[in-house]
Amino acid sequence: MVNLAREEILLLFDVDGTLTEPRSIVESEFEEFLYGHVKPRVTIGIVGGSDLEKMFEQLNGRKILREFDLIFPENGLVQIDKGREVGKQNIVNHLGDVVLQKFINFVLRYLSELELPFKRGTFVEFRNGMMNICPIGRQCSREERNLFAVFDKEHQVRSKMIQVLQREFADIDLTYTIGGQISFDVFPKGWDKTYSLRYIEANYKFKEIHFFGDKTEPGGNDYEIYTDSRTISHKVGSPSDTKKIVTDLLQLT
């Protein structure tokens, strides 16, 4: 990396699997690294598929509003700049209630006929910019989450469901991405994590934007921004990977 000023470079991080272990809380040692050593050198931001409340849960509360320069919940459909919400897009306005109800009704029928080792609750979570579909239900325990991740890897529950939805709703411009262990996101085409880059380009003149994410394969929720020509991207498998790459990148000691 060339010697750039803080305002000329942005490190943009996925959250789940990048700054934290899946659906876990960030480690205090990693916080100290990020806020104490990285933030003084570069602009830092986060972009995730989850809503802001879930970001608070994983990153130890509302202090992220002051620690991160840029925060993009829901793939950037919500934009928070220096702790203040400055923009929001809404899937209801974009698709309309008729289309949304048809889609949700189909999803619930499909899930009602799906045989799994167990089911819990909250199968469809509605957000500003997307819907999150969870075959086993988001109210599962951590142990159940891990069990389903193994089951899904063998039986491709989420991938098969996405294929069905793509056929059934081929006339609707939707994108499906798998993130985390138990669910997948559904949103209008173009509303992936590259949506955050629209705000960044319109309001900042960074010379380099580095993105860090773990779900970078096709169909993963980091894939589009990972392969975007506007980012210098880094694939990680854990927070320790992220720390190592950032340490090397910024030549921290």
Side-chain angles (χ1 to χ4, degrees):
M1 177 188 293
V2 296
N3 189 22
L4 298 175
R6 183 181 188 274
E7 63 273 11
E8 293 179 309
I9 184 165
L10 169 66
L11 302 193
L12 186 61
F13 300 95
D14 166 53
V15 178
D16 207 45
T18 301
L19 299 183
T20 75
E21 297 295 342
R23 292 307 300 155
S24 298
I25 297 173
V26 65
E27 297 287 344
S28 58
E29 182 183 347
F30 191 91
E31 284 187 296
E32 169 58 27
F33 167 74
L34 191 61
Y35 304 148
H37 299 280
V38 179
K39 184 180 178 182
R41 296 279 301 276
V42 295
T43 305
I44 60 172
I46 47 176
V47 55
S50 298
D51 59 26
L52 184 59
E53 287 301 318
K54 286 189 174 58
M55 287 184 166
F56 287 159
E57 288 175 16
Q58 288 189 262
L59 298 174
N60 279 331
R62 299 181 64 87
K63 68 181 179 182
I64 64 172
L65 295 174
R66 68 173 184 271
E67 294 292 0
F68 285 97
D69 301 286
L70 294 166
I71 300 175
F72 298 108
E74 302 185 41
N75 285 356
L77 274 297
V78 179
Q79 302 103 43
I80 298 171
D81 193 329
K82 297 177 179 64
R84 184 172 66 91
E85 184 180 300
V86 293
K88 181 186 292 185
Q89 181 59 276
N90 191 293
I91 194 172
V92 177
N93 295 336
H94 185 81
L95 293 179
D97 277 310
V98 173
V99 170
L100 280 173
Q101 188 166 161
K102 180 182 177 183
F103 182 87
I104 291 170
N105 287 346
F106 184 90
V107 165
L108 292 175
R109 281 195 300 271
Y110 182 95
L111 291 175
S112 72
E113 298 171 358
L114 188 62
E115 294 291 336
L116 296 173
F118 50 86
K119 288 182 182 176
R120 296 301 176 250
T122 310
F123 302 98
V124 179
E125 187 174 82
F126 197 82
R127 301 171 184 171
N128 283 299
M130 68 179 70
M131 289 169 283
N132 180 265
I133 312 299
C134 184
I136 62 164
R138 298 196 65 87
Q139 293 178 352
C140 59
S141 67
R142 184 176 302 281
E143 181 182 1
E144 290 166 340
R145 174 185 293 271
N146 293 336
L147 288 171
F148 177 77
V150 175
F151 183 85
D152 186 55
K153 188 173 183 179
E154 179 181 355
H155 297 281
Q156 299 295 302
V157 175
R158 291 180 291 176
S159 295
K160 289 176 181 176
M161 185 173 179
I162 287 171
Q163 290 169 10
V164 172
L165 291 171
Q166 287 173 326
R167 290 195 300 268
E168 183 70 20
F169 297 95
D171 59 330
I172 303 176
D173 209 17
L174 294 173
T175 297
Y176 305 81
T177 62
I178 294 174
Q181 295 177 295
I182 60 173
S183 65
F184 62 91
D185 295 327
V186 185
F187 45 84
K189 194 160 288 185
W191 287 22
D192 51 66
K193 287 182 180 178
T194 61
Y195 201 94
S196 64
L197 300 179
R198 302 186 192 188
Y199 179 83
I200 293 168
E201 284 192 311
N203 294 278
Y204 290 89
K205 302 298 179 185
F206 293 113
K207 292 186 177 179
E208 293 183 8
I209 301 173
H210 290 257
F211 172 73
F212 299 78
D214 64 319
K215 299 294 185 183
T216 60
E217 67 285 348
N221 65 355
D222 295 323
Y223 175 74
E224 289 82 5
I225 192 169
Y226 180 79
T227 57
D228 194 283
S229 61
R230 292 168 289 183
T231 62
I232 302 169
S233 293
H234 310 271
K235 179 175 177 59
V236 301
S238 65
S240 59
D241 281 353
T242 304
K243 183 176 181 180
K244 182 180 186 307
I245 294 171
V246 171
T247 297
D248 293 342
L249 187 68
L250 300 181
Q251 300 179 338
L252 300 173
T253 55

